[in-house]
Amino acid sequence: MRSRAAAYPLIAVLGWGVMFPVLASALNRVDPLNLTTARYLLAAVVLVAILLLREGVDALRPGARMVEVVVLGVVGFAGFNVLTNLALEHAAPQQVSLFVATTPVITQLVRWARDGVRPKPLLLGLSLVALLGVGLVITRGSLAGFGQFGVGGLMMIGAVLGWGIYTHGASRFGGWSPLRFTTLTALAGTAAMLAASIGADAVGWQHAPAAADLVAVTPQLAYAVIVGAVIAVLAWNTGVQRLGAANAALFMNLVPVTTFAVQIARGYRPEPVELVGAAVTIAALVAANLANRPRTRASSLPGASAVTDPIAVTDRAAVSAR
């Protein structure tokens, strides 16, 4: 049964791993902010339709939680996706994907800052090792390569931090279904992205795409909407519910592996130091997730259930895809 449940997060992370090269190719025709806005305008329509069919029109009303929904939608959906697409203009997809794989660790650090729940020292140490691996991939082992970290790396730090805040904030929505939380925060984030796109076009920071440009990137948009923003989101949330957040988070480490495989299939030839760096990052993140998993302790009382994972419980509706 658990092997079947594992198929859900596996589908999600494979979809996301392929998505970075797909989005990077679309940026040749459409500016990052406009591309992100177009993607989530379409995805929001699909998510709203599914929510209406499954939970009815009342599920679209956030009620007294409007402010929380808007803040998390802007920080999480808008912040993460816009910064990621902007970073893809300055960094290769495989570099960006390594940053995304640090999301589970970053979420724990956010939890420490906001709730005072200190992570294990081992987790912090492994986090530094993971960042060292990212540095090896970006710089290719040369100190002179630190200049390549630059803007793209800083944007991804901001993107992952925003998603960590979003994931942590979602723990306060335990009474909502993952579909409802995802849809309403996506709507808030999409509204923010649309306003930013209109403003950026008006002042000349970017240019509204022509119809020919949108037609040219239709395959990329179709993939990013249907697979990346709908199928992967729903598969991920289902996996989190069935496996728990701690177990599902392990699958995030497959994102950079998938992205590297796609890039290699497209003709990219990584240097040995890049492969070493990627291996170091993935190994450190797997170890960090394993170290953070709760140990199941059987109660001495007959028939008593095992101790549950508080993170899995609170984060059950938290992690939704980009």
Side-chain angles (χ1 to χ4, degrees):
M1 182 64 68
R2 289 181 67 85
S3 61
R4 292 183 181 179
Y8 292 101
L10 181 61
I11 290 171
V13 298
L14 291 177
W16 292 331
V18 174
M19 188 173 62
F20 292 110
V22 169
L23 290 176
S25 66
L27 291 174
N28 295 324
R29 298 294 297 265
V30 182
D31 291 317
L33 185 51
N34 281 326
L35 179 65
T36 309
T37 302
R39 175 191 173 197
Y40 272 96
L41 279 172
L42 296 172
V45 171
V46 177
L47 288 170
V48 167
I50 296 174
L51 182 63
L52 288 174
L53 287 173
R54 296 195 61 178
E55 300 186 28
V57 69
D58 286 343
L60 286 173
R61 301 188 181 100
R65 314 203 72 173
M66 171 70 80
V67 174
E68 290 178 275
V69 167
V70 170
V71 170
L72 292 175
V74 171
V75 171
F77 266 94
F80 176 84
N81 288 287
V82 170
L83 287 173
T84 297
N85 274 7
L86 288 171
L88 284 169
E89 285 196 320
H90 302 277
Q94 62 270 22
Q95 297 170 353
V96 169
S97 68
L98 280 172
F99 279 98
V100 173
T102 67
T103 298
V105 173
I106 294 297
T107 302
Q108 293 301 313
L109 298 180
V110 170
R111 189 166 178 252
W112 181 18
R114 298 195 62 182
D115 295 340
V117 181
R118 186 185 181 114
K120 300 174 184 178
L122 178 60
L123 177 65
L124 296 178
L126 289 171
S127 301
L128 294 176
V129 174
L131 291 177
L132 174 63
V134 173
L136 287 175
V137 173
I138 293 176
T139 64
R140 297 184 178 180
S142 172
L143 292 177
F146 270 104
Q148 299 178 29
F149 181 86
V151 177
L154 292 175
M155 286 179 175
M156 283 311 302
I157 290 175
V160 175
L161 179 60
W163 195 255
I165 293 172
Y166 173 85
T167 299
H168 175 269
S171 64
R172 296 189 295 271
F173 288 78
W176 289 19
S177 70
L179 175 61
R180 184 186 182 192
F181 177 78
T182 301
T183 302
L184 293 188
T185 51
L187 285 172
T190 301
M193 286 184 274
L194 181 60
S197 288
I198 293 173
D201 290 338
V203 300
W205 289 348
Q206 63 177 15
H207 303 286
D213 293 324
L214 292 176
V215 171
V217 300
T218 295
Q220 293 97 316
L221 269 179
Y223 181 91
V225 171
I226 298 172
V227 178
V230 177
I231 294 176
V233 171
L234 297 178
W236 177 258
N237 284 331
T238 303
V240 169
Q241 287 184 340
R242 298 191 179 189
L243 294 174
N247 289 324
L250 289 170
F251 288 85
M252 289 295 291
N253 301 294
L254 292 176
V255 172
V257 175
T258 305
T259 302
F260 263 87
V262 171
Q263 290 295 85
I264 291 172
R266 296 177 65 196
Y268 177 73
R269 294 295 174 261
E271 297 182 8
V273 69
E274 292 181 80
L275 296 178
V276 170
V280 166
T281 297
I282 294 167
L285 293 171
V286 169
N289 279 293
L290 289 173
N292 197 53
R293 289 174 65 184
R295 295 181 179 179
T296 302
R297 299 193 300 270
S299 172
S300 58
L301 296 176
S305 59
V307 176
T308 56
D309 174 9
I311 297 175
V313 172
T314 57
D315 283 358
R316 185 161 290 175
V319 185
S320 49
R322 311 119 188 129

